[in-house]
Amino acid sequence: EPEVTQTPSHQVTQMGQEVILRCVPISNHLYFYWYRQILGQKVEFLVSFYNNEISEKSEIFDDQFSVERPDGSNFTLKIRSTKLEDSAMYFCASSEVSGNTIYFGEGSWLTVV
Amino acid sequence: GDSVTQMEGPVTLSEEAFLTINCTYTATGYPSLFWYVQYPGEGLQLLLKATKADDKGSNKGFEATYRKETTSFHLEKGSVQVSDSAVYFCALSATSYDKVIFGPGTSLSVIP
């Protein structure tokens, strides 16, 4: 069964460093998403991406965050200068059409120290 | 705005007990409704879904019925197993936007 894959599974970084989280969405999907889950808390929407541009973003997704689809398969989330409060599980997701089922990857644990 | 409310956990049940996790939603229009499950140390997996009123989603012995009149999508299972221990998230998605909105999650522990 097709799946969303994410790398790395776990990354530890120093505060102020840049981090790039990578995702390979399901191949025929057109909508891509990033969510995050701070330990023990709810899953929060960060950004959605369609047709090579951001279609929606939340208040969390400030200027420190960016997304990119550098080629036909990868979808990346960049955090420019990490803060302690960025420590969370980051989930990539994709869907075939808007409003349809969204499939999630296994997540990337980011620990900022 | 659109939102999802779930019963607070944690919920602890004995094996073979009946499970209900309540979920209600607020949304304009007719959203699709989902239950996702997160097993310890793992990502989010789609458990079941329903896309219109009175639809029943089912998977792995779990069921949920889309009740428009009560704006609810309660998750049920007749006999839980230890392997069902996980966090369960109710969620919705509307065609007017392309994201999923999650409830806060309900932690379930099943003891032998």
Side-chain angles (χ1 to χ4, degrees):
Chain A
E1 186 178 325
E3 58 181 21
V4 177
T5 57
Q6 291 185 239
T7 54
S9 57
H10 190 194
Q11 182 164 352
V12 180
T13 189
Q14 290 206 323
M15 194 168 52
Q17 294 298 303
E18 176 183 283
V19 160
I20 297 176
L21 305 178
R22 292 184 166 80
C23 170
V24 179
I26 295 172
S27 63
N28 64 331
H29 286 189
L30 301 177
Y31 293 79
F32 314 115
Y33 313 84
W34 284 101
Y35 287 76
R36 80 170 186 193
Q37 184 184 28
I38 294 172
L39 187 63
Q41 299 186 24
K42 75 186 284 186
V43 180
E44 302 173 292
F45 168 76
L46 292 179
V47 65
S48 58
F49 190 87
Y50 169 71
N51 201 25
N52 283 321
E53 60 183 23
I54 291 173
S55 49
E56 187 176 356
K57 59 183 180 180
S58 71
E59 294 174 352
I60 303 166
F61 194 87
D62 61 21
D63 291 345
Q64 291 300 309
F65 291 88
S66 63
V67 289
E68 191 178 32
R69 188 155 162 81
D71 53 43
S73 60
N74 290 286
F75 179 52
T76 61
L77 174 70
K78 183 194 289 187
I79 309 175
R80 265 183 263 288
S81 177
T82 50
K83 308 190 239 343
L84 294 176
E85 54 265 37
D86 293 328
S87 295
M89 175 78 95
Y90 288 81
F91 291 106
C92 176
S94 68
S95 66
E96 194 172 357
V97 296
S98 176
N100 207 343
T101 303
I102 294 180
Y103 294 90
F104 286 81
E106 292 286 309
S108 294
W109 261 117
L110 175 65
T111 303
V112 182
V113 296
Chain B
D2 295 356
S3 65
V4 177
T5 303
Q6 289 179 239
M7 62 186 287
E8 295 290 327
V11 174
T12 302
L13 294 174
S14 297
E15 207 164 21
E16 300 183 1
F18 184 85
L19 168 71
T20 300
I21 300 178
N22 290 337
C23 170
T24 57
Y25 67 90
T26 302
T28 52
Y30 304 96
S32 295
L33 302 175
F34 308 88
W35 278 99
Y36 284 86
V37 59
Q38 185 177 33
Y39 297 102
E42 297 186 15
L44 292 163
Q45 299 177 26
L46 178 67
L47 181 60
L48 53 84
K49 68 176 183 179
T51 57
K52 61 183 189 297
D54 299 325
D55 267 3
K56 177 186 283 189
S58 61
N59 186 26
K60 300 181 182 180
F62 291 89
E63 293 183 340
T65 301
Y66 189 141
R67 301 285 188 203
K68 183 171 174 296
E69 63 277 11
T70 54
T71 62
S72 65
F73 192 55
H74 304 322
L75 182 69
E76 296 182 336
K77 186 175 185 183
S79 176
V80 293
Q81 305 301 311
V82 172
S83 56
D84 294 326
S85 298
V87 180
Y88 293 82
F89 293 92
C90 186
L92 67 83
S93 176
T95 53
S96 58
Y97 51 78
D98 57 3
K99 66 185 180 189
V100 170
I101 294 173
F102 285 87
T106 302
S107 175
L108 170 67
S109 293
V110 180
I111 54 177

